[in-house]
Every structure is written in structure tokens, then in C-alpha cells.
């Protein structure tokens, strides 16, 4: 069965950087749009960034444009989220997902990785 496993979360200071990774198994990774979502306490899950199957297009939430970069390696079946200039409002659980179209409801979800930004 399909599985997505995130890693790379942790505690970082304001202005710091982190890179999240998500590795897929049990699915044809290169056939899926890959996205990162996040959910902060008491808030709804929101789309952070998405990337099409062969990296032809990327999409970002306005709140992270210019700070976050999504990329993928289909050979390694891994999608990355490089996060720079982190702010306390970026604190959330970050989820990896696999879906059919940018912005559509994903087919598969990872378990999430916590990112905490201290002020």
C-alpha cells in the first residue's frame, strides 16, 4: 500500500532554516503531484506548496512565497520543502501528500512532522 514518510522537522529559531523530506513507497511516485500542507493548533489544514510530476510547475501559498522552495527527486521518490527565514507563524505540523492535480484533494497523506519556530 502507498506510504509517505516525512522527516526533517524540529525546533528552530526565528529566521532559521529547515528542510523537510518526504519519501514515498508503494506508489508510482512520478505520476503524482506532490504537495506540502500544514496545520497549526486550532486552525484548518492549509496548502503550503505543490509541485507537478516532473517539476514543470510549482505553486506556493502567499504566506511562504520567496521563503519556501519545493522540489522533488523522482529517482529517490522524495519531495523536499526547503524553508528559509522561518517565523513563529510557520509553527505547525507539516504533512506531505500525493494527488492528481495541483490544489485538488490528495489521494495519500503522510503522518506529519512537527516544525516549531521560537521567537
Amino acid at each position: 500500500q502507498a506510504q509517505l514518510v516525512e522527516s526533517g522537522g524540529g525546533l528552530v529559531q526565528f529566521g532559521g532554516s529547515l528542510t523537510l523530506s518526504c519519501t514515498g513507497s508503494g506508489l508510482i511516485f512520478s505520476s503524482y503531484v506532490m504537495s506540502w500542507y500544514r496545520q497549526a493548533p486550532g486552525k484548518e489544514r492549509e496548502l503550503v506548496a505543490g509541485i507537478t510530476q516532473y517539476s514543470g510547475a510549482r505553486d506556493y501559498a502567499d504566506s511562504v512565497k520567496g521563503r519556501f522552495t519545493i522540489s522533488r527527486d523522482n529517482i529517490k521518490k522524495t519531495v523536499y520543502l526547503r524553508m528559509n527565514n522561518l517565523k513563529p507563524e510557520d509553527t505547525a505540523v507539516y504533512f506531505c501528500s500525493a494527488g492528481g492535480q495541483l490544489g485538488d484533494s490528495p489521494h495519500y497523506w503522510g503522518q506529519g512532522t512537527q516544525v516549531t519556530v521560537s521567537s
Side-chain angles (χ1 to χ4, degrees):
Q1 71 216 42
Q3 188 174 18
L4 300 173
V5 179
E6 301 98 335
S7 62
L11 175 64
V12 64
Q13 289 187 335
F14 178 87
S17 298
L18 278 177
T19 298
L20 306 182
S21 300
C22 169
T23 299
S25 60
L27 74 167
I28 303 174
F29 185 85
S30 60
S31 69
Y32 288 93
V33 167
M34 299 301 296
S35 300
W36 287 95
Y37 287 74
R38 68 186 181 187
Q39 188 166 19
K43 295 187 177 181
E44 293 187 356
R45 191 173 296 189
E46 63 172 347
L47 177 64
V48 175
I51 185 168
T52 53
Q53 288 85 339
Y54 292 95
S55 306
R58 295 172 172 84
D59 193 24
Y60 297 94
D62 287 343
S63 59
V64 306
K65 281 181 181 176
R67 301 188 298 122
F68 290 13
T69 302
I70 188 170
S71 61
R72 66 190 293 163
D73 184 333
N74 287 341
I75 302 298
K76 295 181 178 180
K77 300 182 180 180
T78 300
V79 61
Y80 305 95
L81 185 68
R82 175 65 177 178
M83 306 184 292
N84 294 327
N85 191 21
L86 283 161
K87 305 174 182 180
E89 52 263 43
D90 295 317
T91 295
V93 178
Y94 284 71
F95 298 90
C96 169
S97 71
Q101 301 286 340
L102 279 175
D104 282 0
S105 295
H107 299 165
Y108 305 108
W109 291 95
Q111 292 300 306
T113 185
Q114 175 72 46
V115 172
T116 302
V117 184
S118 63
S119 57

